[in-house]
Amino acid sequence: MTVTRPDAQALDAADPLAAFGSRYLPQPDDVVAYLDGNSLGRPLASIAEVWTDFAHQQWAGRLIRGWTEGWMDLPEKVGDELGAAALGAAPGQTVIADSTTVNFYKAVRAAINLRPGRRKIVIDRDNFPTNRYVVESLAKDHGLEIVWLIGTDVGGIGPDDLAAVLDEDVAVLTMSHIAYHSGYLADMAAVTAAAHAVGALVVWDLCHSVGSVPISLDACDVDLAVGCTYKFVGAGPGAPAFSYVNARHHDRLDQPIWGWLGRQDSFEMEQGYVPAAGIRSMISGTPSVLGILAVREGAAVIAEAGIDAIRAKIVGLGEMVIDLFDEHLQPLGFRLASPRDPIRRGGHVSIARSDARELCSRLTAAGVLPDFRTPDAIRIGLSPLPLRFTEVWDGVSVIRDLSA
Ligand SMILES: *Cc1c(COP(=O)(O)O)cnc(C)c1O
C-alpha cells in the first residue's frame, strides 16, 4: 500500500498519544529522525527536573539522613510502580537494581538452585550476547549442558521449536520476550506453560518488551524475569535494571550475590548471610537513587499513556514502515528481517541488506539514527511516545534515498 507524507500527517492528527511528544527534551537540530529509541530512549523533561530537585532538596538538604527517610525503599517501591504500569506484576515481586546482565546472572542461577539435580539449560542461538555468555558461564561453573535452540521464524522461537528439547532434565529455559535482532515477539503464555509442563522454570528477558507491549507476568505464571529501563522505559544511559520473582518462589529464593542490602536487618552488620524476606533478597548492594528516580518517571508516563495505547501505536508505526518497505525498500534489494505479522512483532522493524553497516554510517551523517546489528541489519526503532508518524516517514524516505 502506498503511504504518502500527507498520509503520515493524517496518522499524526489522529494519534491519541501525539501530545506525549512534548514531554521530552527537544531533539538536536541535526536529527531528522531518531529511530533508535529501542536502544536508548529519549529523555523526559521531567527526569531533568526530578534530578535537579533531588540534588538540591534531598542530597544537599538531607545528606546521609536521606537513606533512612526513603531512599532505601526505592528499589521495591519503584519496582512495584513499574510492575503495575508495564509488567502485569502485583506488588512485592519486582525490584530495581544493578544491570540487566547482573540481574540475569542472579535470576538464572536462582532458577538453577530451585531445580537441583536437573542438568540442562535451554537458550536460543539468536539471544542477546550477554544472555548467551552468562548462560555459558553458569553452565561451566555448575556442570550443566546448554541446549541451543535455533528459531525458525526470523529467529523467533515458537512452542513447536521447544517441544523437541524440553524434557524432565531441563532446569531452566530462558528466552528474550522480544528478540533484539528481529523484533520477534514470543508467546509468553504458551512458552511458559510448555516449560512448566516438564517441571522446568522460565527466566524471561524483557529488555525490548517492557514499555512496548503489554506484559502479564503474574497471569502467565512466569517464574523469574529481568529487563532494562533505558530502552522503551527511557530512564537514561546505564539506568538500573529490574528483577521480577514470582511470589510463589520467594520462600526458597537463593540468588548468588549475597550482599549486605539483600540481607535481613542489613544495618545490624551481623556475621553470616540470611536473606531478607521476599523480593528484597534479589538486591546485593547500594541502589542507584538517581537512576531509580528516572525509572519512576518512565513508569509514570507509561501508566499515564496506557500500555494498550502504546502497543496500538507501535503496531500502527510498524504497519506504516512495512508498507513503506514493500513500496520502496524491497525493490532496492532489502529483505524484511522482522515478522510481518504484527501479533509476532515487537517495537522495532529490522531490514537487511549486505551494505547495512556502511549505509548506517551514511544515515547517521544525514541525521537519521537507526542502529546497525551484525551482520547486515538495520533496526528501525519505534518509540511510541516521542515519535510522530511523519518523523518515521521522513527517516524511511532518507533510507530509501541513500540506498538507491
Ligand atoms: C539491551 C539488552 C541487554 C542489556 O544488558 P545490560 O546489562 O544493560 O548491558 C540484555 N539483554 C537483552 C535481551 C537486551 O536487549
Side-chain angles (χ1 to χ4, degrees):
M1 200 180 92
T2 303
V3 191
T4 62
R5 196 164 195 281
D7 292 336
Q9 284 167 328
L11 289 166
D12 280 329
D15 173 12
L17 299 181
F20 282 91
S22 65
R23 303 288 184 89
Y24 294 82
L25 291 175
Q27 203 144 271
D29 292 338
D30 65 339
V31 173
V32 174
Y34 186 59
L35 304 177
D36 211 356
N38 58 319
S39 269
L40 178 65
R42 281 180 54 194
L44 284 161
S46 70
I47 292 178
E49 285 159 22
V50 163
W51 280 348
T52 304
D53 183 68
F54 178 84
H56 288 280
Q57 306 301 326
Q58 295 215 33
W59 186 4
R62 301 310 300 156
L63 296 169
I64 194 72
R65 294 169 289 186
W67 283 115
T68 47
E69 292 170 0
W71 303 346
M72 206 50 99
D73 302 326
L74 283 173
E76 289 150 286
K77 269 209 176 124
V78 178
D80 286 347
E81 291 166 19
L82 185 68
L87 302 176
Q93 303 176 103
T94 311
V95 279
I96 314 291
D98 303 314
S99 64
T100 304
T101 301
V102 170
N103 286 338
F104 183 71
Y105 178 84
K106 293 196 249 188
V108 176
R109 171 75 185 278
I112 292 168
N113 290 344
L114 286 164
R115 286 292 176 272
R118 292 185 174 224
R119 289 186 315 104
K120 295 183 192 164
I121 309 184
V122 179
I123 183 172
D124 56 305
R125 277 276 174 212
D126 289 326
N127 213 318
F128 191 76
T130 218
N131 304 62
R132 290 184 271 118
Y133 306 152
V134 164
V135 164
E136 287 173 17
S137 156
L138 284 166
K140 169 178 71 70
D141 286 349
H142 298 277
L144 301 172
E145 176 193 339
I146 304 176
V147 179
W148 293 102
L149 285 168
I150 305 211
T152 41
D153 179 8
V154 288
I157 305 290
D160 295 344
D161 302 302
L162 291 171
V165 300
L166 287 176
D167 61 33
E168 311 264 319
D169 217 11
V170 174
V172 185
L173 161 68
T174 182
M175 280 177 42
S176 290
H177 189 202
I178 293 178
Y180 82 98
H181 204 281
S182 66
Y184 182 91
L185 172 59
D187 183 341
M188 179 178 277
V191 169
T192 304
H196 287 175
V198 295
L201 298 183
V202 185
V203 178
W204 284 100
D205 185 318
L206 310 176
C207 279
H208 280 274
S209 59
V210 59
S212 76
V213 297
I215 300 172
S216 306
L217 294 178
D218 289 348
C220 292
D221 200 27
V222 165
D223 301 291
L224 300 99
V226 299
C228 71
T229 63
Y230 50 78
K231 293 173 181 167
F232 290 97
V233 179
F242 62 89
S243 287
Y244 162 94
V245 183
N246 193 306
R248 83 191 137 79
H249 294 305
H250 286 188
D251 57 342
R252 289 185 304 133
L253 180 61
D254 178 11
Q255 62 90 355
I257 306 179
W258 292 2
W260 68 310
L261 292 186
R263 192 195 186 280
Q264 212 179 74
D265 304 321
S266 301
F267 285 88
E268 299 303 319
M269 312 274 179
E270 284 288 349
Q271 294 298 326
Y273 180 80
V274 183
I279 192 67
R280 180 93 199 166
S281 76
M282 284 304 274
I283 292 178
S284 298
T286 305
S288 161
V289 173
L290 283 174
I292 296 176
L293 292 175
V295 176
R296 169 173 271 170
E297 295 307 303
V301 84
I302 292 168
E304 190 186 339
I307 194 68
D308 292 324
I310 285 172
R311 172 66 176 153
K313 181 162 176 190
I314 284 188
V315 169
L317 287 165
E319 292 298 90
M320 182 185 76
V321 167
I322 288 185
D323 284 341
L324 291 169
F325 170 87
D326 289 339
E327 189 183 350
H328 301 294
L329 300 179
Q330 191 151 36
L332 293 173
F334 283 96
R335 171 174 61 82
L336 186 64
S338 288
R340 223 167 234 287
D341 179 358
I343 290 174
R344 291 271 71 87
R345 194 175 63 235
H348 65 268
V349 174
S350 291
I351 59 173
R353 202 171 79 167
S354 58
D355 62 345
R357 188 190 295 265
E358 182 265 337
L359 181 58
C360 257
S361 343
R362 286 195 290 130
L363 286 167
T364 302
V368 173
L369 310 181
D371 66 14
F372 168 73
R373 282 295 175 263
T374 57
D376 61 357
I378 294 175
R379 294 191 308 188
I380 300 170
L382 306 171
S383 288
L385 297 176
L387 272 176
R388 288 167 301 117
F389 284 86
T390 37
E391 186 173 340
V392 177
W393 194 96
D394 290 344
V396 176
S397 67
V398 174
I399 296 177
R400 174 199 59 202
D401 293 347
L402 293 188
S403 309

